[in-house]
Amino acid sequence: MNTTLKSLVLAAILMLPSSLIKAGEGMWLPLLLKSLNEAEMQSMGMKLTAEDIYSINQGSLKDAIVHFGGFCTSEIISPDGLLLTNHHCGYGQIQSHSTVENNLLKNGFWAQNKSQELANAGLTATLIDRIEDVTAVAMEGITSEMNSAERQSKIDRNLGFFKDDYELQSYQEIVIKPFYNGNQYFAFITTIYKDVRLVGTPPESIGKFGSDTDNWVWPRHTGDFSLFRIYAGPDNLPAEYSDDNKPYQPKHFLPISLDGVEEGDFTMVFGFPGRTNQYLPGSAVAQIKDVLNPARIAIRDKALKIIDGYMRADEKTRLQYASKFARVANYWKKWIGENQGLNKTNALAKKQKYEDDFQESCPPKYRDLLPQINNQYRKLEDHALAREYYREVAQRNIEIMRIVNMAKQMGRAFKKNGTKGYDEFVDRISPRLESFYKDYRPEIDQEVFAALSEMYVNTLGQKYSPAEFHTLQSTEDFEAMAAELYSNSVFTDEKRMNKVLFASAEVAIEKINNDPLYKLQSAWDSIYKDEIAKPYDAIQDRINILQRYYMQAQMETFPNKRFYPDANSTMRVTYGKVNGYSPKDAVTYNPVTYLDGVIEKYVPDDYEFDVDSKLLELYENKDYGQYTDTNGKVPVCFIGTNHTTGGNSGSPAIDAHGNLIGLNFDRAWEGTMSDINYDASICRNIMVDARYILFIIDKFAGASHLIDEMKLVRPKRGMAKSDKEMIPNKPNFDRTKLEQKSKIKKSQIKEYK
Ligand code: ARG
Ligand code: ASP
């Protein structure tokens, strides 16, 4: 953008009343904030500079942001490496420390001192030391004459040399990823800590309050957080787990604001969003909305109904299937919301308008691009639908297929390394098998198999189905086939399976190869590979190339539009405002929920909406300490216009001054289409209010030693008088009263400067 235009845009932004600024779209690279975002962020109320957020010369916010296990985000909130993330991000670790006698999921867990903190094999915490634009390196020697395979192999070689030459410390790693559909490349220099211990978690009745019913839903009342700690060797550098390791001393940790938020406040979310597709042509969005999502939803709908029936009938089944059900239901519900949001915001009409503008203004060489991409998407459609069906039916929802697949690898291990290979493989997978069978009910899976394979054949026809399915006509035929398979296969029964596994390798492989489910899966899988995946991949490769050109073409055609790269699990900043929304006619949602709402939703002994007696007691006695809003109530969750996606869970919500105000964990249902078409009118991210987290740690769990580690601040007290007057009902802050009520030491409360 040239400077005159930039100042015009900025002036326009500044002239808008702050309540009208809804900016939220975009997941920006921290190292580009200075040039692309700083001015806008400041105009929205941010008091920081881009350098405060991302600096390679001094400690900055980015030094507190940690990729948690590679799948979630977390942040450092104390000088002793205390790490905050979601309960649903730490779920696997919490579960692994739980037994029937000592059920951490059910009861919660609070280490009373560091020696009680629990080690987690395999869990990593990744810090980003530096980000570098390596596009020029990647593109060296690339010419327009190269075909795409030549281009890619040249890029790979260029980047390979770059990596080899890069001077890394022994504890560092370098990851290079493509951005803007392969038009740019950035390198991330990381330090990965390997000793990450569980420090505390609320019980599920808080951390997962509302469970599947409330998942993706606003208003929300979930305390979705857990606490971990990074440990380091004597030099503060990464080390394997050891009793001698010390808490990691970070370059920066986030202070926590006790002042909370109100409508219109600036918020920033810093984390590792996984995957988005904002620049797809309308034809691709239409395919997702009208073909792929309905298929996925219908398949999962059927599977979930069957499982739900069994779960409702029997408590043991409910426990066995709770976590599997949650996993399947999570995206089922997301896709339903996504389609509703795409319809409600007329996403396709907007894409069409954008593409019309593009066709009109693009350089002539790009005019053919969209017709070509659209043509490829038309060709892709049947294969894409079949691929989705195969993946949903044969890979995800018929549970036993996972075991059949493992058996295939067993055969491969035997082929490669004989009995030794086989034995090693069986040893390695035994724990996985054991935990699979612990929660496996063949009669449920058999019913899912019958229902989904019938759907598969009816939708896709014989061409994509194994011969075994060709003669089946009625529902009864599918049920009979399923019954036959499930009663004769070794895989559906743990005892039969174990007997086979512990026979000699030759006998086991022979038995497995002749198993009816094994044969069916093999036939199905090779049809998938030949008839579905092969043509699909060929067309998709073509689309990827066209999409790269289309991205480049959009950037050239609209030089004044700011383009942010799609999410790819790299570190990003998104910013917006605390903001309610209107999901439908005559309905408006406030942006903040309170503990009163938890009590409103309370259903005694319900597995989703039970409330712990201690929490009820605190509510009864209004024993809230300093964790209340200006209205005297304890805030629980809030929403904002920040653009987030899967992987952003556990990301900090940060105020205008760089303090933690909340913890991101979900999005509001109507706006889950933000992954393909963000719209500030209904896209909202959901965060737990930092004060609810502190309230639970301090008042509910009595873990005040953890609060003592943190730095609590009151940034709004430092505001100018005129600013203060804009805030209604703000009682004067009474420190004496507050300190009597709270266990927090005076030294803990620092004025914000
Ligand atoms: N919807 C959130 C996300 O996509 C939370 C999922 C965990 N909670 C659940 N009830 N399944 O990850
Ligand atoms: N719940 C998601 C996560 O776990 C966040 C989202 O999709 O908004 O990352």
Side-chain angles (χ1 to χ4, degrees):
M1 215 188 284
N2 66 42
T3 25
T4 1
L5 192 71
K6 211 171 181 176
S7 45
L8 275 176
V9 170
L10 193 60
I13 294 172
L14 290 172
M15 269 157 56
L16 288 171
S18 66
S19 60
L20 281 184
I21 299 181
K22 281 223 170 124
E25 179 164 7
M27 301 166 163
W28 305 93
L29 273 159
L31 84 164
L32 301 181
L33 290 177
K34 178 94 198 149
S35 55
L36 292 175
N37 313 93
E38 187 185 59
E40 184 186 56
M41 293 169 92
Q42 290 173 345
S43 79
M44 289 168 70
M46 185 182 77
K47 306 287 184 237
L48 305 166
T49 63
E51 177 83 2
D52 294 330
I53 300 171
Y54 174 85
S55 169
I56 48 170
N57 304 315
Q58 63 202 30
S60 56
L61 291 189
K62 78 126 170 67
D63 296 309
I65 315 301
V66 181
H67 208 176
F68 183 84
F71 53 85
C72 270
T73 306
S74 56
E75 51 278 353
I76 303 173
I77 54 167
S78 94
D80 269 345
L82 191 61
L83 206 55
L84 176 66
T85 190
N86 289 140
H87 182 269
H88 82 261
C89 294
Y91 198 87
Q93 282 73 33
I94 302 167
Q95 187 172 39
S96 75
H97 293 295
S98 295
T99 58
V100 177
E101 299 76 43
N102 183 22
N103 191 340
L104 275 48
L105 283 171
K106 188 158 182 285
N107 306 324
F109 165 76
W110 306 95
Q112 293 309 312
N113 52 55
K114 297 207 173 71
S115 72
Q116 288 181 4
E117 297 176 357
L118 301 170
N120 301 291
L123 180 62
T124 54
T126 304
L127 286 153
I128 306 295
D129 298 330
R130 193 159 59 246
I131 308 174
E132 281 184 37
D133 186 345
V134 294
T135 310
V137 178
M139 299 302 164
E140 217 174 273
I142 298 290
T143 64
S144 51
E145 282 77 50
M146 290 177 159
N147 69 31
S148 57
E150 287 163 358
R151 179 183 186 274
Q152 198 53 52
S153 92
K154 177 78 178 140
I155 290 176
D156 292 344
R157 248 179 307 141
N158 287 346
L159 293 175
F161 289 135
F162 177 81
K163 277 197 207 174
D164 290 345
D165 288 350
Y166 202 98
E167 259 184 57
L168 291 174
Q169 304 296 329
S170 60
Y171 50 84
Q172 285 179 319
E173 283 184 19
I174 180 167
V175 183
I176 300 179
K177 288 206 175 177
F179 287 72
Y180 298 104
N181 299 109
N183 284 293
Q184 294 185 24
Y185 285 81
F186 286 85
F188 296 78
I189 319 303
T190 66
T191 296
I192 305 176
Y193 284 85
K194 296 172 188 147
D195 184 354
V196 184
R197 303 184 196 170
L198 177 64
V199 174
T201 171
E204 268 185 309
S205 63
I206 291 171
K208 213 184 155 183
F209 183 72
S211 193
D212 292 311
T213 301
D214 268 10
N215 191 24
W216 300 112
V217 165
W218 184 256
R220 188 64 153 277
H221 298 85
T222 314
D224 193 345
F225 80 94
S226 58
L227 291 165
F228 286 77
R229 192 189 303 281
I230 305 177
Y231 279 81
D235 42 11
N236 205 31
L237 293 175
E240 295 298 331
Y241 174 87
S242 154
D243 278 347
D244 301 331
N245 286 349
K246 298 267 176 310
Y248 168 66
Q249 312 292 299
K251 282 195 213 131
H252 184 76
F253 65 91
L254 298 178
I256 305 177
S257 167
L258 281 172
D259 280 346
V261 295
E262 52 205 292
E263 182 111 34
D265 278 357
F266 172 84
T267 60
M268 162 164 83
V269 172
F270 208 161
F272 294 85
R275 203 173 120 88
T276 58
N277 278 301
Q278 298 293 331
Y279 303 102
L280 290 176
S283 54
V285 176
Q287 195 167 91
I288 294 173
K289 177 170 90 69
D290 299 331
V291 180
L292 303 181
N293 277 355
R296 296 162 175 154
I297 293 165
I299 295 166
R300 291 199 179 190
D301 212 32
K302 202 152 237 169
L304 287 167
K305 280 212 178 85
I306 294 170
I307 301 171
D308 186 59
Y310 282 94
M311 284 171 74
R312 277 177 197 280
D314 169 47
E315 177 64 12
K316 181 166 170 243
T317 313
R318 194 189 69 66
L319 285 172
Q320 284 182 310
Y321 274 76
S323 142
K324 286 187 264 194
F325 186 91
R327 203 167 39 236
V328 177
N330 191 27
Y331 266 63
W332 164 80
K333 199 166 177 182
K334 191 221 151 178
W335 293 319
I336 296 174
E338 187 167 276
N339 268 18
Q340 285 185 6
L342 290 170
N343 286 332
K344 187 181 153 69
T345 56
N346 297 316
L348 289 178
K350 283 184 192 149
K351 283 269 177 194
Q352 187 59 54
K353 161 102 188 39
Y354 178 77
E355 286 168 22
D356 291 346
D357 290 350
F358 171 82
Q359 286 301 87
E360 224 164 80
S361 343
C362 72
K365 62 175 175 181
Y366 292 131
R367 277 208 195 116
D368 265 358
L369 255 180
L370 274 169
Q372 276 192 51
I373 302 186
N374 294 341
N375 187 29
Q376 293 298 329
Y377 271 106
R378 256 193 305 278
K379 281 204 212 157
L380 188 73
E381 187 152 308
D382 283 351
H383 306 292
L385 178 68
R387 177 172 174 268
E388 209 54 48
Y389 254 87
Y390 182 79
R391 285 152 61 111
E392 281 294 319
V393 171
Q395 293 182 331
R396 298 212 178 103
N397 285 296
I398 301 176
E399 292 176 71
I400 201 63
M401 292 304 192
R402 241 170 299 143
I403 303 303
V404 177
N405 245 323
M406 257 186 221
K408 270 198 170 153
Q409 295 169 28
M410 227 178 272
R412 269 180 234 137
F414 181 65
K415 234 188 200 150
K416 216 168 139 202
N417 288 320
T419 307
K420 186 166 166 282
Y422 173 87
D423 286 345
E424 275 171 13
F425 188 83
V426 171
D427 259 1
R428 200 142 44 84
I429 61 163
S430 307
R432 284 222 302 268
L433 287 175
E434 198 178 311
S435 77
F436 174 86
Y437 285 111
K438 182 168 126 315
D439 293 332
Y440 180 65
R441 297 277 298 281
E443 68 276 29
I444 302 179
D445 199 34
Q446 178 184 320
E447 214 174 308
V448 171
F449 179 100
L452 297 197
S453 49
E454 184 181 5
M455 245 182 127
Y456 182 97
V457 180
N458 285 346
T459 311
L460 302 185
Q462 297 200 346
K463 181 176 173 211
Y464 293 129
S465 311
E468 284 89 331
F469 289 159
H470 292 185
T471 52
L472 308 181
Q473 305 276 340
S474 63
T475 302
E476 289 74 36
D477 289 348
F478 281 93
E479 284 169 357
M481 179 189 197
E484 176 88 13
L485 282 169
Y486 276 66
S487 52
N488 291 328
S489 168
V490 298
F491 300 116
T492 49
D493 182 273
E494 186 174 15
K495 283 202 200 87
R496 281 204 294 263
M497 182 73 181
N498 279 339
K499 218 166 133 195
V500 168
L501 286 186
F502 296 109
S504 74
E506 283 87 354
V507 174
I509 301 287
E510 159 88 17
K511 270 241 153 52
I512 284 168
N513 285 345
N514 287 311
D515 188 274
L517 263 176
Y518 184 88
K519 285 187 184 160
L520 175 76
Q521 198 273 350
S522 302
W524 206 347
D525 191 47
S526 57
I527 287 179
Y528 169 71
K529 286 196 178 110
D530 297 340
E531 304 292 333
I532 302 174
K534 212 192 235 160
Y536 176 92
D537 291 344
I539 302 168
Q540 188 62 53
D541 281 351
R542 183 80 201 120
I543 289 178
N544 291 345
I545 298 165
L546 291 168
Q547 184 72 37
R548 168 161 53 79
Y549 285 125
Y550 180 43
M551 190 71 238
Q552 175 187 327
Q554 291 176 70
M555 293 169 108
E556 266 176 56
T557 306
F558 304 117
N560 296 331
K561 184 172 149 65
R562 279 179 314 177
F563 289 91
Y564 56 91
D566 271 321
N568 58 359
S569 291
T570 58
M571 184 180 238
R572 303 296 178 88
V573 172
T574 172
Y575 51 92
K577 294 213 156 194
V578 176
N579 198 193
Y581 70 107
S582 169
K584 51 185 164 214
D585 186 33
V587 179
T588 20
Y589 284 147
N590 290 341
V592 183
T593 59
Y594 294 98
L595 190 56
D596 307 63
V598 174
I599 309 301
E600 278 171 14
K601 286 180 178 171
Y602 171 39
V603 181
D605 296 326
D606 183 73
Y607 85 98
E608 296 190 306
F609 293 102
D610 199 11
V611 176
D612 193 287
S613 56
K614 175 78 207 242
L615 192 56
L616 289 171
E617 189 189 310
L618 290 167
Y619 180 75
E620 282 305 307
N621 299 332
K622 302 275 167 283
D623 186 2
Y624 298 156
Q626 57 183 339
Y627 308 113
T628 53
D629 212 337
T630 49
N631 55 13
K633 304 202 263 187
V634 176
V636 176
C637 294
F638 65 98
I639 48 174
T641 57
N642 310 287
H643 190 177
T644 55
T645 188
N648 266 125
S649 273
S651 299
I654 295 172
D655 72 2
H657 309 277
N659 306 308
L660 185 92
I661 44 178
L663 179 63
N664 185 72
F665 70 104
D666 209 2
R667 277 171 287 163
W669 203 36
E670 298 82 0
T672 53
M673 50 67 162
S674 64
D675 289 346
I676 24 190
N677 196 42
Y678 180 89
D679 186 313
S681 68
I682 53 169
C683 290
R684 295 290 177 277
N685 69 314
I686 308 181
M687 298 153 276
V688 198
D689 195 297
R691 291 165 297 176
Y692 191 54
I693 296 172
L694 297 173
F695 168 73
I696 296 297
I697 297 173
D698 187 359
K699 289 286 172 177
F700 175 84
S704 56
H705 59 286
L706 294 173
I707 305 273
D708 291 344
E709 268 188 72
M710 306 171 192
K711 177 174 166 188
L712 307 184
V713 296
R714 289 216 168 252
K716 285 189 177 170
R717 298 206 59 215
M719 282 188 313
K721 189 159 183 292
S722 59
D723 282 345
K724 254 189 220 154
E725 279 163 1
M726 283 166 59
I727 299 163
N729 308 328
K730 199 142 205 159
N732 283 333
F733 174 70
D734 182 345
R735 174 167 283 196
T736 10
K737 223 157 137 200
L738 186 151
E739 276 161 10
Q740 279 162 5
K741 277 199 189 163
S742 155
K743 288 178 191 153
I744 292 184
K745 288 188 221 125
K746 193 169 178 175
S747 64
Q748 229 58 51
I749 305 173
K750 301 194 178 72
E751 294 289 331
Y752 192 86
K753 290 198 186 68

